[in-house]
Amino acid sequence: MKNIKKLSGLFFMLLSLIISAVSAYVYEQSSMTVTQTIQDIATLTLSNAALGTIEEGQTVTYTPSTTPALDGIIQVVTTKSNVYLHLDSDLDSQSSNYVTYNITVKFDTVPAGSSYSVGDVACTLTLSSPDYHSITLDVAGTWKFDFEITTTPQGVSADTDTTVTITVSAESTSS
């Protein structure tokens, strides 16, 4: 009987330790989610243009009327006002091929209410100033830009193919 009381006591003591150990692992859990929609503020559509052949030393100005690929070469559709358009080119890498390489970017289509007019110059990219930051698109809507390009190549000893790359980006900050 004495052994049974001892075993019973020991059993209840072990049982209480097991219960407290198990209850130490029981906890309450809950979860939540945070959602957000990232809005596309601008959609860009860009076209490529081939200017053809030019002779060394010759100066040629290409306009949308003489080179239709330059008409509406950049299109931007914005969903908000004050979107900033950035143009970054590699024109500076062409200084060994050209005496002059100027790209004048002009407004072709302007949404109603803008401070700009069709035909206004938005910016000019040159060999010495190949990038332009922060053309402010001051109202939401569809914007189109034309290029007018003037080139004068340097002398060459053989036919030389050249390519200028312009990267266009739009963002909601001017930097």
Side-chain angles (χ1 to χ4, degrees):
M1 179 89 162
K2 197 174 190 188
N3 284 342
I4 291 179
K5 281 185 176 184
K6 263 188 179 180
L7 282 176
S8 293
L10 189 57
F11 173 74
F12 285 116
M13 190 184 294
L14 279 172
L15 185 60
S16 67
L17 286 174
I18 290 172
I19 290 173
S20 65
V22 170
S23 65
Y25 292 106
V26 175
Y27 60 94
E28 190 171 323
Q29 180 176 335
S30 181
S31 65
M32 62 182 280
T33 59
V34 176
T35 61
Q36 184 175 36
T37 300
I38 300 171
Q39 182 181 10
D40 182 13
I41 61 152
T43 302
L44 293 170
T45 305
L46 307 176
S47 301
N48 293 322
L51 300 180
T53 303
I54 188 171
E55 295 176 3
E56 55 190 356
Q58 180 184 14
T59 298
V60 176
T61 298
Y62 304 89
T63 66
S65 59
T66 61
T67 309
L70 300 177
D71 185 29
I73 197 164
I74 299 172
Q75 178 176 315
V76 183
V77 179
T78 62
T79 59
K80 64 178 269 183
S81 300
N82 296 319
V83 170
Y84 301 93
L85 197 64
H86 306 287
L87 283 79
D88 298 308
S89 78
D90 65 352
L91 270 176
D92 51 341
S93 69
Q94 295 296 325
S95 60
S96 62
N97 295 316
Y98 291 92
V99 174
T100 304
Y101 203 121
N102 298 332
I103 302 172
T104 302
V105 181
K106 291 187 173 184
F107 291 95
D108 177 78
T109 301
V110 178
S114 173
S115 62
Y116 301 108
S117 298
V118 171
D120 286 352
V121 174
C123 70
T124 301
L125 307 176
T126 66
L127 294 169
S128 61
S129 184
D131 305 324
Y132 193 84
H133 297 285
S134 301
I135 300 169
T136 304
L137 307 181
D138 56 357
V139 296
T142 300
W143 299 81
K144 288 185 182 178
F145 298 88
D146 295 339
F147 280 2
E148 288 185 5
I149 301 174
T150 301
T151 62
T152 306
Q154 299 208 35
V156 294
S157 57
D159 291 354
T160 304
D161 293 327
T162 62
T163 301
V164 173
T165 301
I166 301 169
T167 302
V168 180
S169 60
E171 63 181 340
S172 59
T173 60
S174 62
S175 57

